[in-house]
Amino acid sequence: MSTIVLLIVTGLGLGALYFLVAAGLSLIWGLMRVLNFAHGAFFTVAAYTGFFAAAALAGTSPWVGWFASLVAGTFVGAVFATLTEIALIRPLYRRPVGQVLVTVGLALATLALVEGAFGADPRQVTVPPWMAATTSMLGAAIPNTRFVVIVLAALVLFGLLFFLRRTRYGLIVRAGVENRDMVSALGIDVQRAFTLVFAIGGAAAGLAGVLAATYYGTIDPGRGTAMLISAFIVVVIGGLGSIAGSALAAVLVGLLQQFLNFYAAAGVGDFAVVLLLAVVLLVRPGGLLGGKSA
Amino acid sequence: MNAGAEVLLRVENLRVSIGESQILGGVSFGVRQGGITGLLGRNGVGKTTTLRGILGLLPRTGTVTLAGESLTALPVHEIVRRGVGYVPEDRDVFAGLTIEENLRLTERAGSEHRYPLVYELFPELRDRAAQLAGTLSGGQQQMLSLARALLNASNRILLIDEPTKGLSPVVVKRVAEALQRAAEVTTILLVEQNLAVARHLVRDVVVLDQGLVTFAGDIAELIDDPALARRHLGLSAAGH
Ligand SMILES: Nc1ncnc2c1ncn2[C@@H]1O[C@H](COP(=O)(O)OP(=O)(O)OP(=O)(O)O)[C@@H](O)[C@H]1O
Ligand SMILES: [Mg+2]
């Protein structure tokens, strides 16, 4: 029983991280038809920014450092993504191949730069002592970081749904996911929504970068790429462009991975996820909740 | 072009190519201020392409001016904000949004003065405000698409593409009435294959054939002359 509880909470925590990366990917694809391979770079740069922000505040309360890393990482993720959209994506408007190449290039360049500057080895991050501790739940000792990640991702999910369903720009994004030409033909500058969606996606990926550091206790240059791959799978399973779909798929993928890697053998879970992807593509090519952004 | 009222929209030498094929080979015409001008022609001659070209939804060359101001270099949303409304051929309502959301998306300053007209013409849009647009019938979607364009009080001309296509006679009649009412508050450039409807609503007419304007003038002149009608529209008996 306690093992199952631990696996569920751990799977949910992993799913929460996937969701934070997948949310932006999904909205960016849905609205702009851009496969953003640079999304993992937002994650990585934010993780290192968070690390150094916390290090700079080393003398203060660990909560201050942790909170500062969260804010700094999220902010840098948003800024990096916004600049990417303005400087690299926008000039290649309606040239999908060029956009893919430029985001792949940015991803590789960022990886090389981070590795060159800070080395390829993982670095230990410090978290507040409470987070390093565990809470007992139905007999299982659950690391508190899991709860932190899950709660924050849930807040982001509700925030995004509120944005999409209740705000003017959310309305524009939902309409744009369906037919962005028609949004322009109503006199709306859809380009502004593109930039906004990149900023939001980058912020979520940045938050994921810092939270993944909290979750694993380390940062390294390569995790962003691994996250990106899982997030792409999540986005396709959930339905491209759908936030609720991404959340659902992220939870499914996280749980499936945890349970099969534990009960079958390490690696089986990851294989099963790819299998799930194949099945969804065959049975519901649009994804679980495809065609609805919110 | 007919003498009289001043020209509101002028299209000059509009060319559109998609891939290798040239769709429009230099279309030129003017739309007079007020009333409804028809854009006619057989299937596939480039009527829809002309409207999309005016809006900048397709890469094009040539010039488009609205009341003397050049629109050619502007992005689509700026062209629309200058006062060009669009009701596309396939309606293009946002299926995943409710009627109310579809309308709210379109709102601009002054829209509140247009809601009474819209709801008078199409009361079902108010009654079904919370229904998803994707679940509406074809006729209701057409009404929503028209309502969207009508909501913009700042529109000076509406480009309306085959609004009666695929609708039952009763709904065709309602749409025709709505167009007539709309023409009291704005100029309309109307693509319409239903010649009875066109004959009833339209004053000036522009005919396209193979990406070029082949006739521009009074609609009666065209439709009531069987030889002219056959030549330009490919019809044996028009104007009934
Ligand atoms: N995206 C496209 N790719 C290739 N050809 C196209 C494309 N869009 C339009 N065409 C071609 O351009 C020509 C004009 O099309 P358009 O839709 O403007 O005609 P239309 O006059 O509106 O016809 P209809 O009365 O059937 O609506 C057609 O031959 C069509 O096949
Ligand atoms: Mg057409």
Side-chain angles (χ1 to χ4, degrees), chain B residues 157-202:
Chain B
I157 183 167
L158 302 186
L159 312 181
I160 305 182
D161 200 349
E162 299 204 42
T164 64
K165 189 168 130 184
L167 304 182
S168 74
V170 181
V171 183
V172 168
K173 196 153 169 281
R174 283 189 61 196
V175 167
E177 278 165 20
L179 292 175
Q180 205 151 26
R181 287 292 302 279
E184 291 165 13
V185 292
T186 181
T187 306
I188 293 175
L189 176 60
L190 176 70
V191 174
E192 182 55 74
Q193 298 280 44
N194 183 330
L195 285 185
V197 172
R199 181 77 177 84
H200 177 61
L201 293 173
V202 164

Side-chain angles (χ1 to χ4, degrees), chain A residues 168 174-175 178 182 187-188, chain B residues 81 94-96 101 104-105:
Chain A
R168 166 97 188 144
R174 281 192 291 148
E178 276 193 40
M182 196 58 221
I188 295 163
Chain B
R81 279 187 206 171
F94 299 103
E101 287 174 327
R104 185 147 45 86
L105 186 66

Side-chain angles (χ1 to χ4, degrees), chain B residues 18 23 42-49 89 162 193:
Chain B
I18 298 175
I23 313 287
R42 284 178 279 234
N43 289 120
V45 295
K47 304 180 295 293
T48 298
T49 305
E89 185 170 12
E162 299 204 42
Q193 298 280 44

Side-chain angles (χ1 to χ4, degrees), chain A:
Chain A
M1 182 63 196
S2 67
T3 312
I4 292 182
V5 173
L6 181 64
L7 286 174
I8 288 177
V9 178
T10 307
L12 286 177
L14 200 57
L17 293 176
Y18 293 159
F19 166 72
L20 288 173
V21 179
L25 279 180
S26 184
L27 276 185
I28 289 169
W29 170 265
L31 186 62
M32 306 167 66
R33 295 290 182 267
V34 171
L35 271 182
N36 182 29
F37 286 94
H39 221 68
F42 306 160
F43 175 102
T44 303
V45 169
Y48 277 83
T49 305
F51 175 81
F52 287 111
L57 291 165
T60 63
S61 146
W63 280 101
V64 171
W66 180 78
F67 194 69
S69 70
L70 218 59
V71 172
T74 306
F75 178 73
V76 164
V79 171
F80 190 10
T82 305
L83 293 178
T84 302
E85 198 277 321
I86 293 172
L88 298 178
I89 305 290
R90 196 177 296 181
L92 294 170
Y93 188 57
R94 283 175 201 264
R95 286 161 64 185
V97 176
Q99 287 174 333
V100 164
L101 290 179
V102 86
T103 62
V104 169
L106 182 61
L108 295 176
T110 307
L111 188 64
L113 278 176
V114 170
E115 244 180 57
F118 310 117
D121 296 332
R123 290 178 179 229
Q124 214 72 31
V125 299
T126 46
V127 293
W130 175 82
M131 278 191 215
T134 60
T135 297
S136 171
M137 198 173 131
L138 299 171
I142 311 223
N144 289 335
T145 50
R146 306 310 189 242
F147 297 115
V148 172
V149 171
I150 293 168
V151 167
L152 283 177
L155 287 177
V156 170
L157 170 62
F158 288 120
L160 281 174
L161 290 179
F162 179 86
F163 164 75
L164 287 170
R165 289 178 186 170
R166 292 275 176 269
T167 68
R168 166 97 188 144
Y169 263 100
L171 190 59
I172 292 173
V173 170
R174 281 192 291 148
V177 166
E178 276 193 40
N179 185 344
R180 66 181 175 192
D181 271 353
M182 196 58 221
V183 173
S184 310
L186 293 177
I188 295 163
D189 183 1
V190 78
Q191 187 85 60
R192 296 235 295 264
F194 291 177
T195 312
L196 184 68
V197 159
F198 249 83
I200 291 173
L207 180 65
V210 178
L211 286 179
T214 303
Y215 182 96
Y216 291 105
T218 59
I219 57 172
D220 67 73
R223 188 176 292 134
T225 312
M227 277 286 164
L228 180 70
I229 293 168
S230 296
F232 266 130
I233 293 175
V234 162
V235 167
V236 175
I237 291 177
L240 286 157
S242 165
I243 287 294
S246 287
L248 182 66
V251 167
L252 275 180
V253 167
L255 289 175
L256 195 65
Q257 272 183 344
Q258 287 298 311
F259 273 86
L260 289 182
N261 281 342
F262 184 83
Y263 283 112
V268 173
D270 307 285
F271 179 71
V273 166
V274 177
L275 210 63
L276 176 66
L277 173 69
V279 170
V280 168
L281 282 178
L282 284 173
V283 180
R284 272 184 79 93
L288 296 177
L289 301 182
K292 292 193 71 183
S293 47

